[in-house]
Amino acid sequence: MVSDIRLYTEQEFHQKAQQYSAVLSSRGVSVNIESIEKLNSRFLRLNPELALCVDADGLWLCANGMKMQPDWNAEMGRLKRASIKSEMIARACNLAEKPSLIDATAGLGHDSLLMAHLGAQVTLVERHPILFTLLEDSHQRAQQDAFLSAVVARIELVFSDSADYLIEQAQQQQVFDVVYLDPMFPQRDQNQQAVKKQAQVKKQMQLLHMLLPEDGEMDLGDNLLALAQKVARRVVVKRPRLAVFLANTEPQHQWQGDACRFDAYFQHELVA
Ligand SMILES: C[S@@+](CC[C@H](N)C(=O)[O-])C[C@H]1O[C@@H](n2cnc3c(N)ncnc32)[C@H](O)[C@@H]1O
C-alpha cells in the first residue's frame, strides 16, 4: 500500500493542501507537498508518476497525465435516470425495501451512491487511506449540493478493513439487511472473456488500479464472504460476468448483465 506520496498544488491552495496532508498523515500516509506554478494538464503529462494534487475542486489522484477523484457530481445524471426497476443492482440488493446495507468495498463509492439514492441506508467501508480521504472529500462536497445532499445523508463512511469491521459487527450481534461486496478482480485472470472487458476499464479505474496492489498481491476478498454472511440476511457480490465465484462458493441466486453479474447468498435465519 502507498505510504509516501507527493502532492502538487499551486500557492493559492497551499493551506488546503496542508490540511489534507495532516489528515493523510493521521492515516499513515506521509505526504510531500510541492508548490508549483501551474497545475495544468501539461504539468500532469510531464509528471506522470502517481501523486496527489489539490486545486479549487479539492483533492485528486493523478498519474499518466490524468487526474481523478470520486466524482459524485458527474454521477448525478445517472442517478436521476435510475429506478428500482431499471437497475439490476436494485433488484439484487432488494432496494425497494430500503435496506440497511454495508458496502464493504467502497472504492469510488459509485455503487453506494446509486444504492443510497434508491433508498438504502449505507455504511461505506474503505481501508485504503488515500481512497478513503478522497471519498471523504467527495462526501463533504456532495453535502453542498441541493440534490446530492439528500442522497449522501444516507451514507456513513468508515475507515477500516472490512474484515475487522464485519467481525466487530458480529461480536456486537448487529444484523444488516445486506452486505455488498465488489472486491478488486485481476486484469489478467482465469477467464479470457472477462479479461477483454476488463481491458476497457475506464480512466478512473485505471488510476484506481495504480493505487491498489498489483495482481500478484491483490487481495481478492475471498475472506469477506463468510464474515459478511454472519451479519447480513443477504450478501450480494458483484463480479465480472464470467468470473469465478467469490471464495469458490456457489450463490443461491444470480442476476446476469452484459458486463457484470450479481451473486446472492441468503441467511434467512438471521434476525435483528
Ligand atoms: C473494485 S473497487 C470497488 C468499486 C466500487 N464498487 C465503486 O462503485 O466504486 C474495490 C475497493 O474495495 C476496497 N477493499 C478491498 N478489500 C477491502 C477490505 N477488506 N476492506 C476495506 N476495503 C476493501 C479496495 O481498496 C477498493 O477500493
Side-chain angles (χ1 to χ4, degrees):
M1 206 170 273
V2 178
S3 58
D4 275 291
I5 196 156
R6 197 167 291 180
L7 185 156
Y8 301 116
T9 190
E10 294 173 10
Q11 192 51 41
E12 188 184 346
F13 305 109
H14 199 268
Q15 203 181 345
K16 219 167 148 188
Q18 280 177 322
Q19 286 162 2
Y20 288 117
S21 167
V23 170
L24 282 159
S25 148
S26 74
R27 293 176 181 153
V29 181
S30 145
V31 176
N32 180 5
I33 301 178
E34 264 188 43
S35 278
I36 57 166
E37 211 170 300
K38 208 85 212 112
L39 182 62
N40 52 21
S41 43
R42 181 166 182 275
F43 175 87
L44 293 176
R45 270 198 313 278
L46 293 173
N47 293 276
E49 75 285 4
L50 191 68
L52 292 168
C53 60
V54 171
D55 64 14
D57 295 321
L59 184 69
W60 300 78
L61 187 67
C62 51
N64 292 341
M66 304 182 280
K67 61 177 193 167
M68 81 87 176
Q69 59 184 180
D71 189 356
W72 291 1
N73 271 314
E75 292 291 299
M76 243 186 305
R78 179 176 180 211
L79 297 186
K80 286 180 178 167
R81 286 190 305 275
S83 70
I84 300 267
K85 275 198 181 150
S86 67
E87 297 289 336
M88 194 166 59
I89 195 172
R91 297 195 292 282
C93 295
N94 199 18
L95 298 183
E97 294 295 316
K98 305 204 180 311
S100 57
L101 183 149
I102 300 174
D103 179 344
T105 53
L108 299 173
H110 291 166
D111 289 338
S112 267
L113 194 65
L114 177 62
M115 293 192 283
H117 171 62
L118 294 176
Q121 191 67 43
V122 179
T123 304
L124 190 52
V125 188
E126 175 56 54
R127 68 177 168 194
H128 195 291
I130 294 179
L131 252 185
F132 183 81
T133 307
L134 288 163
L135 277 173
E136 199 174 48
D137 204 34
S138 294
H139 191 270
Q140 275 166 16
R141 259 194 318 280
Q143 285 168 7
Q144 314 308 318
D145 180 89
F147 174 79
L148 286 178
S149 56
V151 181
V152 299
R154 286 195 289 277
I155 299 180
E156 183 200 353
L157 300 179
V158 175
F159 175 47
S160 170
D161 190 302
S162 290
D164 299 335
Y165 184 76
L166 291 170
I167 290 169
E168 221 174 88
Q169 300 310 307
Q171 282 167 347
Q172 293 169 9
Q173 300 185 331
Q174 298 288 341
V175 176
F176 292 79
D177 295 315
V178 182
V179 170
Y180 177 77
L181 300 172
D182 175 18
M184 298 303 285
F185 198 76
Q187 300 276 306
R188 296 172 289 283
D189 199 63
Q190 308 94 328
N191 192 310
Q192 282 309 306
Q193 269 178 284
V195 175
K196 279 186 201 145
K197 300 258 183 211
Q198 292 273 324
Q200 297 149 13
V201 283
K202 293 190 292 190
K203 245 190 206 176
Q204 282 188 326
M205 288 311 275
Q206 286 175 30
L207 287 187
L208 195 60
H209 278 276
M210 286 179 78
L211 186 67
L212 300 169
E214 278 308 305
D215 291 5
E217 37 178 329
M218 191 184 273
D219 172 0
L220 300 179
D222 285 334
N223 62 325
L224 296 178
L225 179 59
L227 296 174
Q229 285 177 301
K230 291 204 173 95
V231 302
R233 292 187 198 94
R234 176 186 295 229
V235 178
V236 176
V237 183
K238 184 182 188 181
R239 305 299 271 165
R241 195 170 69 91
L242 298 167
V244 293
F245 299 131
L246 186 66
N248 273 324
T249 306
E250 199 168 328
Q252 279 117 344
H253 196 80
Q254 288 191 312
W255 287 264
Q256 290 277 0
D258 292 338
C260 75
R261 62 165 209 264
F262 295 98
D263 295 347
Y265 304 82
F266 302 104
Q267 293 66 234
H268 298 297
E269 71 286 0
L270 278 184
V271 281

